[in-house]
Amino acid sequence: MENTAKKRILSGIKPTGELTLGSYIGAIKNWVSLQDEYDCLYMLADMHSITVRHDPAVLRRRTLEQLAQYIACGLDPEKNILFIQSHIPAHAELAWVLNCYTMVGELNRMTQFKEKSAKHTENINAGLYDYPVLMASDILLYNADLVPVGEDQKQHVELCRDIAARFNGIYGDVFKIPEPFIPKLGARIMSLDDPASKMSKSEESNGSVLLMDEPNIIKAKFRRAVTDSETCVRYDPENKKGVSNLMTIYSVCTGYTYEQIENDFSGKGYGEFKTAVGDAVVETLRPIREEAKRLLADKAYLNSVITKGAENAGRIAYRMLSKVYKKVGFYRP
Ligand code: ATP
Ligand code: LTN
């Protein structure tokens, strides 16, 4: 599977909640489209999940569910290395080294840290602060060329580049400098009930469509989606955030351009448009939901994917960690 001729990709999602249409459109759908062309590693970022308070039993269950959903979305375990972050201790080990090459001022600027610490004032822990360094370690351990993520993660990938460049500046060309890969369409899917904020999985609300939602739930969520006081289906993300968000979702699910959508719905009301978007999402998610349910019933298969993933990822990771340890001068007999 490790094919050095191909460029390498690494990405991950933390199993903090049910995957949403946002995680699918912003990340997983692109991972699937890249799997033939690149040598890909896709991770379940369980170590990142504990930076906010969580229930251990739920984390355990969600990790397996998320793996089933990765595969159900079309990620082929024969083509990609699918693995659980905490199975490779090298992530934490490299993160420690990288901590010593990351400036406090850099971490202070991270938008996600500011947002999460404003939301979880009772638990502003050091792990939440250090989150981007662990993420840099995830990426740099595998010499990733590309990191496919949604818009909100771009700042973290940029910090990873800065840390890698700083380290390389001191020790020579140790790390590859990764590029973020942000989709042109759907890099930031907004909440259906608050089009000014991102659709998120840990802030479960009616505004988030979950991959495992049943069709009637999805349709109801779209029927209730917040739009505006006009009646015209037109793409204008500045002034018509709700409608534009629905158009993006519809475009991703059907392949229609914004112009086609505007023409098809000209003179029709928002009600009809919202119904069409809901139906398109139902049909996009139906095979994923059904396949995920089927896979979840086969725990032995999922465990075999996890075991193989850990072996393959570990081999790559430990080669890099040992190079880094040598560079910084850790003595080995
Ligand atoms: P949490 O609420 O726990 O912080 P989240 O819903 O924001 O989680 P992440 O695990 O942070 O999801 O993100 C997983 C991947 O999906 C990332 O690459 C992220 O950029 C992308 N993503 C998440 N939500 C969206 C969204 N609404 N639009 C586009 N991409 C998204
Ligand atoms: N922080 C990311 C999840 C994540 C990640 C990574 C993404 C953890 N490690 C490495 C890309 C590469 C998020 O989506 N919230």
Side-chain angles (χ1 to χ4, degrees), residues 2 8 10 41 47 81 83-97 134 137-143 174-175 309-327 330 332:
E2 206 188 321
R8 166 111 13 108
L10 179 128
L41 294 111
M47 291 164 73
I81 300 180
F83 72 104
I84 298 178
Q85 185 184 30
S86 67
H87 291 190
I88 316 291
H91 289 246
E93 294 172 285
L94 180 62
W96 175 253
V97 176
L134 179 59
S137 164
D138 301 335
I139 299 167
L140 299 177
L141 265 184
Y142 298 94
N143 263 325
V174 178
F175 295 125
E311 280 166 16
N312 289 331
R315 238 191 330 272
I316 307 173
Y318 275 96
R319 214 177 297 142
M320 176 55 92
L321 186 71
S322 112
K323 188 171 166 187
V324 169
Y325 275 12
K326 240 185 244 158
K327 290 285 180 186
F330 290 162
R332 292 286 183 278

Side-chain angles (χ1 to χ4, degrees), residues 9-30:
I9 281 186
L10 179 128
S11 195
I13 298 180
K14 48 194 152 58
T16 40
E18 302 285 334
L19 289 179
T20 69
L21 186 63
S23 13
Y24 177 67
I25 295 178
I28 306 176
K29 189 169 187 291
N30 301 299

Side-chain angles (χ1 to χ4, degrees), residues 231-244:
T231 50
C232 156
V233 175
R234 179 168 51 83
Y235 189 73
D236 178 354
E238 281 302 305
N239 303 306
K240 292 168 74 70
K241 286 195 168 60
V243 168
S244 302

Side-chain angles (χ1 to χ4, degrees), residues 34 64 153 254 318 320 323:
L34 295 163
L64 204 64
Q153 294 300 311
T254 60
Y318 275 96
M320 176 55 92
K323 188 171 166 187

Side-chain angles (χ1 to χ4, degrees), residues 11-28 31 52 66 112 116 119 131 148-154 183 186-191 197-203:
S11 195
I13 298 180
K14 48 194 152 58
T16 40
E18 302 285 334
L19 289 179
T20 69
L21 186 63
S23 13
Y24 177 67
I25 295 178
I28 306 176
W31 301 358
V52 295
Q66 192 170 300
Q112 181 179 295
K116 296 262 171 192
K119 224 174 271 168
Y131 180 118
V149 284
E151 178 66 37
D152 61 305
Q153 294 300 311
K154 191 171 172 217
R188 197 171 163 83
I189 299 295
M190 309 312 278
S191 165
S197 60
K198 193 187 85 156
M199 185 183 285
S200 154
K201 66 174 141 55
S202 61
E203 316 301 325

Side-chain angles (χ1 to χ4, degrees), residues 123-181:
N123 181 28
I124 307 177
N125 63 76
L128 188 64
Y129 188 60
D130 203 33
Y131 180 118
V133 182
L134 179 59
M135 181 162 159
S137 164
D138 301 335
I139 299 167
L140 299 177
L141 265 184
Y142 298 94
N143 263 325
D145 296 276
L146 280 190
V147 185
V149 284
E151 178 66 37
D152 61 305
Q153 294 300 311
K154 191 171 172 217
Q155 193 186 34
H156 288 161
V157 181
E158 279 163 359
L159 175 63
C160 170
R161 289 167 57 88
D162 292 343
I163 298 171
R166 181 172 303 130
F167 195 93
N168 285 354
I170 303 172
Y171 300 106
D173 274 344
V174 178
F175 295 125
K176 194 170 273 174
I177 309 289
E179 296 281 344
F181 179 93

